[in-house]
Amino acid sequence: MIVYDKGVEEFENFLLSEDSFDEMSLGKTESIMCQGNGYMCIRGYAEEAYPKKVATTLIAGTFNIAMENEVTELPNISDAFSMELLIDGKRFFLAENNVENYSKILNLKTGELTRTFAYKTEENEFRFVMRRFVSAADVHIAVSRVEITAMKKAAQIVVLSGIDNRATNSGECHLIENVRRFYEKKFAYTHLVTNQSKIDIYVNASHKIFVDDAELDLVPAPKMSRRTISAQYNLDVAAGSVVAIEKYISYYTSNDADEVRCDEPCASYKILAQKMAVGYFELLEESVEVLAAKLWERDYIKITSSEAIAQLGINYAMYHMFVMTPSHDNRMNIGAKGLSGEGYKGHTFWDTEVFLLPRFIVQNPAVARKLLEYRYLGLEGARRKAEENGFEGAMFPWEAANPKDGEVTPKYNGVDVYTGDQLKVITGDIEIHIVADVAYGVYLYNNFTADQEFMNSYGYEIIMETAKFWNSRLEYADGKYHINDVIGPDEYTEHVDDNAYTNYLAKWNMEYACRSYNDLLAKDPELLARLDEKISIGAVIETIRERAERIYVPVPDAELIIDQDRTYRSLEEIDLTKYRQAELVASIAKDYGMEQISKLKVSKQADIMVLFLLFGERWADEIKKANFDYYEAFCLHDSSLSLSTYAVLANDIGYERYGYELFKRALLIDIGQEKHSCDEGVHAASYGGVWQCIIYGFAGVRMIGEKLHINPRLPAEMEKIEFNMYYLGQKLCVKASKDTVVVANMGERAVAVIIKNREIEIAANAAVEA
């Protein structure tokens, strides 16, 4: 069972814990208690072996294709945290009848994972404390410490620990061994190479052994078997004595950016030796200080609430958004599962721009810029995809990995269990709203930051190349331009025409490109000339302008409903009660195939509601209410992206009670009690959704056009929300309560903010209350 209230004093609402051992649900805590720093992430798996254990270590950007007809994915790198323990000649592992007082705790504030329990054998009892962390101070380093106390009598303990290169992605092996050896009889070292992308990976591991805090000078017995290298220690432990095994590990790759590069990775064990001299607790303290500086002091969101789960939930979300984000390298982005598991193969989707990017734009724009630079680096692959499909401009991939690779969505995903036929994946071909989603990310970043250098170097080119794509993708009929045969955000409706979200975003994208073109023509014609020489935008800009005016966009009918697409409202209705009440998502798939679902009036997730989330100021509340009421009745929320979108909109239109209920459901997508909600990895974008519920929804922070608005609407359970944000390069400290808003400008320039519908200029180093 997941427990939320273990933290006290400085750790209140920072501890996520499990209070009993359950071998059948290991995957959940492996995912939600993963540890990382954006460079790498290690699942929170047990040191000891279990059949269902998934010991995954992922390093951002190390994509590889394991075999022919496979797609690129992040390879599972060597397992270095596992260790085998023999106690009095028997293998140590936990079962229902040999463990008491079990606790597994992830401290979100420190990043440390701790397991404590009493372990019983026929003749003895042992107290275990197993702790570890992945360093925020040095992204290559991870350390564990296993403390064992023999409670009743002396014991013999054998430790077999090192590096296991047998790691696979569900059976697919990506790594070729090059070197396995010990340095100085103490440092296990392996050099591996990904078989297709030819990325070198260097892994080191070494140990320190203590008895009652005294370090032993031991030379381990070296052990090697196929694809493993280990050190063996034989220890005699007196009753009441504490033996501690500290394990220091490091990972490096030839793909590392200059910021984190090691000049001599083959000699990286020497760096590890320096870390070992510092020690576990001191290295942990260094990591905690950096984590505080980069996250908890800079971006902390404080919620004063009658329900503590809100604070724990946003702390958990912020921790994971730090762990999963490769802020050190613009060649990398955020995967749909972060770095917590193999799900979605580490690929990047529209999740980043629509759900995760806003958190960084508002609170850490330097990281947001790198995430957008990744899309710029992907223009080559996007142009190639457009050309291969007979279009112009940039057709960004539905799934992205290495940015230059273009589309990496699998063509097939699984097989029909009865026919053996492969199940075709069509999202990479027709879920094209991703193109405008990328453009929207640029637009939002520009409005919040006014980063002209970014726009000049990257942003304008993305905006205009995406507009060129839409210009070529339109189809003319009946005096209007249409976008046919697509999948909108609601992925239960396939091969639809004139999806409202897609058409609106395409129209906006083209209009934004025209405005940007005019701005450059007036303010920087030299830059425009260089851009035109590169992408020939001048030859098509008038066509883009003319067609944008004539794109078909659905308008509210007499009942104020906007058609999600051409056919949705005429689809067959069925009783959705059992699917809406089901604990597991996608339960409808047990009764219907995808082709059948597409013919039913049922939604996987928010569709038009996402349109309202991005451009809600364009519609009156009466229209938003009508559409909320209509579409939510058919929505199963089978996507983790859905609940937060509906929660923000519910709060906006005055459904505060329901909005708060949806927020809590969104908050518990992964950390709720369902045992298998995230076995293959966490739902990364849902954490951005939780952030949006709090900052966009309850605190009321929105960029409307080119103006920042703050108009709080706190639920009954919340008294105050406090957070830092950045606007036009200035740091703002916001305290939003039910009655008042205080905004302090900590920057060097005045900024104008619309607070509670009144525009107020806030001088540098001054605060206003409204």
Side-chain angles (χ1 to χ4, degrees), residues 182-209:
F182 274 91
Y183 282 102
E184 300 179 10
K185 298 183 179 181
K186 185 174 183 179
F187 297 91
Y189 168 84
T190 67
H191 170 204
L192 307 105
V193 183
T194 55
N195 67 313
Q196 172 266 332
S197 55
K198 304 303 180 185
I199 297 173
D200 297 292
I201 298 168
Y202 311 89
V203 188
N204 300 274
S206 191
H207 303 81
K208 292 166 70 173
I209 309 294

Side-chain angles (χ1 to χ4, degrees), residues 181 227 251 301 371 419 423 508 582 590 675 687 714-715:
R181 59 163 295 181
R227 297 180 69 85
Y251 293 88
I301 298 171
L371 295 173
T419 67
L423 302 176
W508 163 83
K590 295 179 180 179
K675 291 185 177 182
Y687 305 146
L714 273 63

